[in-house]
Amino acid sequence: MVRHFTGGKLIIASHNKGKVVEIADLLAPFGAEVISAGDLGLSEPEETGTTFVANAELKAHAAAEAAKLPALADDSGLAVTALDGAPGIYSARWAGPGKDFDLAMRKVEEALGGNPDRSAKFVCALTLAWPDGHCDTVEGEVHGTLVWPPRGDLGFGYDPMFVPDGYDVTFGEMDPAKKHGISHRADAFRKLVAACFTK
């Protein structure tokens, strides 16, 4: 049974400032008073899941339990067709301990080598969890093509090398409001809002 969020404090179970800002923007119309796990000093749980869904649920449950408030977690990443879906759930780890996404993008490019298949997708699993253990999870995707060299300094992560289908600019070049409308996170949010934020 899906549970509805009716407003008030909501923990965003992330220490990624770019991600927190993007989620806060998407949640603004729903009366959510967004607080990040980082601001509360909550530790980041080890992501031991083997899927985006498993990791989103793990992070949401950990934050909801620790803060005794509803928590929203996302687990997202880049899945490259020619790399059998890598970096996938390891997208952040490819950036190393310093979260260097220039390095991560170079790793993707080097792994592709001369492969002509540049297709990829961003995937986002979103989980809304409650302190009593209840959770609802949805998944969203956006498909596109990888370019090299990276272009643009908007967005974050792998955005500068990803051109969404139907566009000729990367997420790194795209106006954030436009990206918020078509991204994997936006796709997942539409599903989550329909399930949990509207009646």
Side-chain angles (χ1 to χ4, degrees), residues 5-12 23-24 26-35 72 189 197:
F5 179 82
T6 54
K9 290 183 178 173
L10 179 65
I11 307 304
I12 306 300
I23 292 172
L26 289 162
L27 284 178
F30 301 101
E33 188 187 326
V34 168
I35 309 160
L72 181 67
F189 257 95
F197 286 83

Side-chain angles (χ1 to χ4, degrees), residues 10-94:
L10 179 65
I11 307 304
I12 306 300
S14 177
H15 290 66
N16 179 322
K17 287 184 171 62
K19 193 181 282 189
V20 170
V21 167
E22 200 170 300
I23 292 172
D25 286 349
L26 289 162
L27 284 178
F30 301 101
E33 188 187 326
V34 168
I35 309 160
S36 79
D39 290 342
L40 288 178
L42 301 180
S43 60
E44 293 183 90
E46 193 179 342
E47 295 179 24
T48 54
T50 56
T51 63
F52 291 113
V53 166
N55 281 329
E57 291 181 349
L58 190 148
K59 290 186 278 192
H61 281 304
E65 260 178 52
K68 303 289 183 262
L69 288 165
L72 181 67
D74 109 315
D75 197 59
S76 52
L78 180 69
V80 181
T81 309
L83 303 182
D84 296 323
I89 61 169
Y90 304 110
S91 292
R93 288 178 216 178
W94 278 37

